[in-house]
Amino acid sequence: MTTALVPVGDLERMANAVAASKLFGLATKEQALALMLVAQAEGLHPATAARDYHIIQGRPAMKADAMLARYLNSGGKIEWHEHTDDKVAATFSHPQGGSLKVDWDMARAKKAGLGGKDNWTKYPRQMLRARVISEGVRATNPAVAIGVYTVEETQDFDAPKRPRERDITQEVEREDEDVTLD
């Protein structure tokens, strides 16, 4: 379902309201506006951005349940096999991408360096479920999640490194060394 385009001025007012409400985890009006533009580009009403996305470590992240809902709405099916704090397994099937069983367990999460993180110790089933959803959706219908990760995946990324300021005096000294006078 494609919605009518919302004028930029209206988007800016909506972004201000969403950011000021602090209800959706968007810290700034710029974050809200950027996500609203993404939603509008996808043919969705801009308000769905606040519902379906978070900004984690400066990156847009689609909520796992929103990713799964889009997958199901696109004709995908899922059959859950196991759903515990130790293991989550499901079979994903889509007319365009075939069928695939995906599972994540705590041993795999720990091997990937994830199992000891705060959310993984507090909410292991939810974190495993999100990994199963993102892997299954991407494998059988990647059009649902082009260029975005789930919130749970982005929380596991290392914090972005800040660029170091260059030492101007070292740069000048190096340039001086390269100069030769004849």
Side-chain angles (χ1 to χ4, degrees):
M1 176 177 135
T2 302
T3 61
L5 290 178
V6 176
V8 173
D10 292 347
L11 283 175
E12 289 172 338
R13 283 192 293 284
M14 290 168 64
N16 285 330
V18 166
S21 76
K22 300 192 182 343
L23 292 175
F24 299 101
L26 299 170
T28 68
K29 63 184 178 189
E30 291 82 10
Q31 288 177 346
L33 181 59
L35 288 180
M36 289 177 172
L37 290 169
V38 168
Q40 187 154 282
E42 294 175 345
L44 303 170
H45 189 277
T48 62
R51 180 194 70 197
D52 292 355
Y53 290 90
H54 279 301
I55 299 289
I56 308 289
Q57 295 183 20
R59 295 180 173 114
M62 187 183 297
K63 297 174 184 175
D65 59 342
M67 187 180 286
L68 183 57
R70 289 182 184 192
Y71 179 77
L72 296 172
N73 286 335
S74 74
K77 294 183 181 180
I78 185 168
E79 179 184 350
W80 295 102
H81 304 295
E82 195 166 344
H83 200 255
T84 68
D85 283 350
D86 295 317
K87 183 177 181 181
V88 174
T91 298
F92 292 78
S93 56
H94 195 277
Q96 295 177 321
S99 183
L100 179 68
K101 183 174 181 181
V102 177
D103 63 73
W104 269 78
D105 58 26
M106 288 307 292
R108 182 177 177 194
K110 287 177 182 168
K111 185 176 180 181
L114 306 172
K117 293 190 174 194
D118 194 40
N119 279 345
W120 283 87
T121 57
K122 289 181 181 176
Y123 311 105
R125 185 180 67 235
Q126 291 87 338
M127 300 303 285
L128 292 168
R129 181 178 184 272
R131 289 293 173 145
V132 166
I133 289 170
S134 65
E135 185 175 333
V137 167
R138 282 194 183 93
T140 59
N141 187 17
V144 169
I146 296 172
V148 295
Y149 293 96
T150 66
V151 171
E152 295 78 7
E153 288 172 315
T154 55
Q155 288 171 337
D156 292 333
F157 290 165
D158 291 330
K161 294 179 182 174
R162 298 181 76 196
R164 291 186 293 153
E165 292 182 25
R166 293 190 288 177
D167 185 347
I168 299 298
T169 57
Q170 288 177 347
E171 297 244 347
V172 170
E173 287 172 2
R174 267 186 259 141
E175 287 176 7
D176 288 344
E177 290 171 4
D178 293 338
V179 174
T180 57
L181 298 173
D182 291 328

